[in-house]
Amino acid sequence: MTPSPPSPPHASVLDLAPVVPVVVVADVSDAVPLARALVAGGLPVIEVTLRTPAALDAIRAVAAEVPDAVVGAGTVLTPEHVAESVAAGARFLVSPGWTDHLLDAMKASGLPFLPGVSTTTEVVALLERGVREMKFFPAQAAGGTAYLKSLAGPLPQARFCPTGGIDPDSAPDYLALSNVGCVGGSWMLPADAVAARDWRRVEDLARAASALRR
């Protein structure tokens, strides 16, 4: 089956859902039921991190079998990761940081992408390159909501998906900021639920997360 086409250019990944689940798939057979549970709970944007051997096959399976999911690749570190993710059917790319070499590859892919930043200098450098949407990582460790709020005045054109250390209690504080479109997190995917393949619990937690929309 042919993977779903990329989202149209006007549909920002930051605006599709309040929370982007950050997923680590160890067993590719879990990918489709997990994605279906997240979508049913109201979280269609799913970042599958390239941290396991199963990741690319998981992206390929979700792209082919869960048409309502917008599946992307996370922990994209190299141009090779970019090419492999595009071939697997990823519809967006996320990196924890960036270099010129990686940024060029993500731009050339034609997919929406969120390069990771944690300093003002990195944000300004990306704005200089025409990139306005970014991942703020690691969010809590890098200054949290106070840091992002301080960026909104001098750099209002930059928008962020904060990820790293965010939970249901802190997520609303991030989502209330003018320069935050969504947050990334994995609290709706507790390890024991995934190990037990308790997709109903995942769906319920996803539904609660989707209700955090500002």
Side-chain angles (χ1 to χ4, degrees):
M1 185 180 295
T2 303
S4 302
S7 302
H10 62 271
S12 168
V13 173
L14 298 185
D15 297 325
L16 298 179
V19 179
V20 176
V22 179
V23 181
V24 179
V25 178
D27 185 337
V28 70
S29 67
D30 290 338
V32 167
L34 185 154
R36 286 175 175 158
L38 292 171
V39 171
L43 299 181
V45 184
I46 302 168
E47 176 189 336
V48 177
T49 64
L50 302 184
R51 300 181 193 175
T52 69
L56 289 169
D57 284 338
I59 291 170
R60 191 172 290 108
V62 173
E65 299 183 45
V66 192
D68 292 331
V70 180
V71 63
T75 319
V76 174
L77 301 177
T78 66
E80 290 74 24
H81 280 168
V82 172
E84 291 166 348
S85 299
V86 170
R91 294 172 64 180
F92 64 95
L93 306 169
V94 184
S95 66
W98 65 278
T99 64
D100 288 333
H101 196 41
L102 177 58
L103 190 68
D104 288 343
M106 290 193 291
K107 278 190 168 186
S109 74
L111 297 181
F113 59 92
L114 298 173
V117 298
S118 60
T119 69
T120 306
T121 298
E122 292 170 318
V123 175
V124 172
L126 284 177
L127 292 173
E128 190 177 77
R129 296 283 300 269
V131 179
R132 296 190 174 193
E133 297 187 343
M134 312 167 195
K135 171 179 178 173
F136 179 58
F137 176 83
Q140 290 287 86
T145 56
Y147 193 94
L148 285 173
K149 187 175 182 180
S150 71
L151 293 181
L155 302 170
Q157 64 272 53
R159 298 182 70 219
F160 301 94
C161 173
T163 305
I166 298 175
D167 58 27
D169 295 326
S170 60
D173 295 332
Y174 282 95
L175 292 169
L177 298 177
S178 62
N179 56 352
V180 169
C182 61
V183 300
S186 56
W187 70 83
M188 72 297 300
L189 297 162
D192 58 339
V194 174
R197 294 179 168 81
D198 187 351
W199 308 127
R200 178 56 62 87
R201 183 180 171 200
V202 170
E203 180 181 337
D204 290 344
L205 290 169
R207 185 169 291 108
S210 71
L212 296 175
R213 188 183 307 274
R214 97 178 101 210

